[in-house]
Every structure is written in structure tokens, then in C-alpha cells.
Amino acid sequence: ENTNGLIRWYFPKGTDFGKISDENIQAVESALNNRPRKRLGWKTPLEAFNAYKRAKELDVKRKAEQYKDTISEACYLALMNYNVEITD
């Protein structure tokens, strides 16, 4: 609900998004993603997301180390080089 309110600050109810440029929408998206939030311990959503992503990558690497002796070297190396990729 709070995010919806923030979006409405930039784009009032009834805004015709067909008339809003992609660049304008991306600027608002960037502003909102870089705004600290109390719910996130005053981190920005982007900071919180990146911390979550890093934690997941480290978890995969820890598991690879844990099972190193039971998996192939190729599998181990693939896991150690694993990076979370976000796609549209």
C-alpha cells in the first residue's frame, strides 16, 4: 500500500500511461528503488535485493563446499561460479 501511494505521488489516479515516456517511468522506478524504507531497516529496495541475491549466491557456494567430495569437479566449479541472474 505504501508503494502504491508513492507511485500515485508521481502518477496521480487516472494518469494515461500511454502518454508517459518509458524514460519517465524508468526515472520514477529508479527513484522508488533507491528510496530507503523503514520496513527494510532503512535500506533501499535495491540494497535489500542485492543483499538477498548475495546471500543466495553464498549459500550455493557453501553447499558446493559441503558436498565437494561427493560431486564431480565440473559440478563443483559450476556451483562455485554461480551467479543469480535476473532477466525480464
Side-chain angles (χ1 to χ4, degrees):
E1 288 298 318
N2 184 48
T3 302
N4 288 343
L6 294 173
I7 291 169
R8 289 285 173 230
W9 191 80
Y10 290 96
F11 304 115
K13 195 168 192 150
T15 296
D16 181 354
F17 284 95
K19 296 180 179 178
I20 306 295
S21 71
D22 288 345
E23 291 80 15
N24 193 357
I25 291 172
Q26 289 172 354
V28 170
E29 178 184 352
S30 178
L32 294 177
N33 283 336
N34 288 292
R35 180 181 181 182
R37 307 285 171 87
K38 181 178 180 180
R39 181 170 183 84
L40 300 174
W42 299 110
K43 292 180 187 170
T44 68
L46 188 59
E47 290 168 333
F49 173 75
N50 285 332
Y52 176 79
K53 181 178 172 253
R54 279 190 304 277
K56 289 297 176 189
E57 290 169 348
L58 288 173
D59 188 46
V60 168
K61 289 171 178 44
R62 279 194 285 274
K63 292 290 184 187
E65 281 296 326
Q66 180 181 353
Y67 293 103
K68 183 178 182 178
D69 295 332
T70 61
I71 59 177
S72 70
E73 182 177 355
C75 183
Y76 172 77
L77 291 174
L79 292 171
M80 291 305 288
N81 290 308
Y82 175 76
N83 289 307
V84 173
E85 295 291 328
I86 308 302
T87 59
D88 291 336

